Amino acid sequence: MERSIKLLMDKYGIKPSKSLGQNFLMDKEIQAKIVNACNIKKDDLVIEVGAGMGAISCELAARAGKLAAIEIDRHLLPALQEALKQYNNVEIIHGDILKLNLKDDIIYKAYRTGLTGGQEFKPARIIAVGNLPYYVTTPIVEKLLEEENIDEIIIMVQKEAAERILAKPGAKNYGLLSLMAKYYSKAEILFNVPPGCFFPKPNVYSSVVKMSRNKTPPVHLLNKELFFKIIKSSFGQRRKTLFNALYNANLVPLSKEEIKAVLKETGIDENTRGEALSLEQFAQISNAFSEISERISSLHRQ
């Protein structure tokens, strides 16, 4: 594949785009390790994010029931189409993953038309795979995690981003992404990838991360939207105390004293910072504020 990618680049005059953060994976062994990690079966739907020129797309297509290959760069489409021309189970989608409606544009379409046309296709699993550009890693991972139809996510990201995904409370890199990953999935770093496996070479190592969707969330939430709003406000300014973050965010119609009282009931110090709180503690805080908000709303309705 390394030779094929270089031939396609020469044939179509392709040069990596700095603005799109393109670093093409050229190492065949790493390509094979990524595909093998997906454990794809013939009744699976695979969504490839950033298909590029098809470095792993062909093997994904050969193993999957259906492949949706998403690529934002129109200059790469002719090379990608050539690489995948022998497969009739592939739909190439020119678009931005962050702007696509994965549920309607890909997943439900597969159920209705088999994605590529013809009979409907009911996948046993939906797997998202991709070599993510470093500069948009976080929003893409967040989007994939929030799409609850996706069962497995196998992505290559900057090593630093992989460490953020698996960070624990108290760590400098612990934050929203860490908590989202834990709420939605069981995450693990499968292996690291050195810069020399790419063209052009990035300045950092990459890591391949696997996130398997939790069948049941690890915490019970009364209001998931409020839960994540509280987390976001807690990390919006990392040095703010929990109390100040909650009060300034104005997430609940409570006075300073009432917010302090609710926090006291949870047993969590109001001067704690978000970076010290576990998923379970954030759930405890969120549920406490959900309950008080519901009681206030109930009184207003009477």
Side-chain angles (χ1 to χ4, degrees):
M1 179 59 73
E2 179 178 350
R3 178 175 169 78
S4 299
I5 291 295
K6 287 182 176 177
L7 286 173
L8 287 171
M9 290 179 73
D10 291 341
K11 180 175 180 179
Y12 292 101
I14 293 170
K15 295 181 180 179
S17 168
K18 287 185 179 180
S19 64
L20 293 175
Q22 290 175 344
N23 299 93
F24 299 121
L25 179 63
M26 309 298 277
D27 189 287
K28 290 190 287 186
E29 289 186 10
I30 298 298
Q31 293 168 6
K33 285 181 73 173
I34 293 171
V35 174
N36 289 335
C38 299
N39 193 28
I40 299 167
K41 302 290 191 286
K42 277 296 182 184
D43 52 2
D44 292 336
L45 166 62
V46 176
I47 300 172
E48 186 182 6
V49 182
M53 290 174 283
I56 64 171
S57 308
C58 295
E59 193 59 34
L60 294 174
R63 300 188 187 196
K66 300 287 181 179
L67 170 65
I70 303 169
E71 178 50 54
I72 191 173
D73 188 352
R74 63 181 177 82
H75 297 100
L76 303 184
L77 295 181
L80 181 61
Q81 290 163 351
E82 180 176 331
L84 290 169
K85 62 184 178 183
Q86 71 185 80
Y87 300 98
N88 60 9
N89 63 334
V90 176
E91 179 155 329
I92 296 173
I93 300 170
H94 176 217
D96 182 347
I97 178 68
L98 295 175
K99 295 179 181 177
L100 286 172
N101 184 322
L102 298 180
K103 191 172 292 181
D104 291 340
D105 297 340
I106 296 176
I107 297 169
Y108 286 175
K109 186 177 179 183
Y111 279 90
R112 292 193 303 269
T113 67
L115 193 68
T116 53
Q119 296 181 338
E120 64 182 19
F121 177 69
K122 297 180 179 179
R125 291 186 308 156
I126 300 174
I127 305 168
V129 188
N131 174 16
L132 305 189
Y134 294 161
Y135 75 102
V136 286
T137 292
T138 297
I140 292 176
V141 173
E142 290 177 0
K143 179 163 186 167
L144 294 176
L145 286 170
E146 288 172 341
E147 179 44 72
E148 296 185 359
N149 289 292
I150 295 176
D151 301 291
E152 300 275 355
I153 301 170
I154 296 94
I155 48 172
M156 184 156 55
V157 298
Q158 185 175 341
K159 188 171 183 285
E160 180 183 289
E163 291 168 349
R164 276 196 290 125
I165 289 170
L166 276 82
K168 305 295 183 186
K172 289 183 179 179
N173 55 0
Y174 179 68
L176 172 62
L177 190 61
S178 321
L179 287 154
M180 286 189 69
K182 187 171 182 182
Y183 177 79
Y184 285 111
S185 73
K186 291 180 176 61
E188 59 180 316
I189 296 176
L190 299 181
F191 53 89
N192 297 320
V193 184
C197 296
F198 300 88
F199 176 77
K201 292 182 183 179
N203 296 321
V204 295
Y205 269 69
S206 300
S207 298
V208 174
V209 179
K210 179 178 181 180
M211 289 178 276
S212 303
R213 174 125 357 235
N214 290 324
K215 289 183 170 57
T216 303
V219 291
H220 170 67
L221 299 177
L222 297 176
N223 186 329
K224 187 169 78 169
E225 183 180 358
L226 178 62
F227 171 72
F228 280 113
K229 282 182 177 179
I230 287 173
I231 291 173
K232 288 176 183 177
S233 67
S234 298
F235 288 99
Q237 292 180 286
R238 294 182 71 93
R239 303 315 299 165
K240 278 188 177 293
T241 64
L242 176 62
F243 165 73
N244 284 330
L246 291 172
Y247 179 70
N248 293 336
N250 196 28
L251 297 177
V252 287
L254 300 175
S255 67
K256 283 185 177 182
E257 291 72 24
E258 288 169 328
I259 291 174
K260 287 184 177 184
V262 175
L263 288 175
K264 188 175 181 179
E265 286 182 16
T266 67
I268 297 171
D269 188 341
E270 66 181 61
N271 294 312
T272 301
R273 292 183 173 87
E275 61 196 33
L277 297 173
S278 67
L279 183 80
E280 291 74 17
Q281 287 174 310
F282 273 115
Q284 188 180 357
I285 294 166
S286 171
N287 289 343
F289 280 105
S290 293
E291 287 177 348
I292 192 70
S293 296
E294 180 55 34
R295 287 204 294 269
I296 292 170
S297 296
S298 178
L299 287 173
H300 287 167
R301 289 194 296 268
Q302 290 178 3

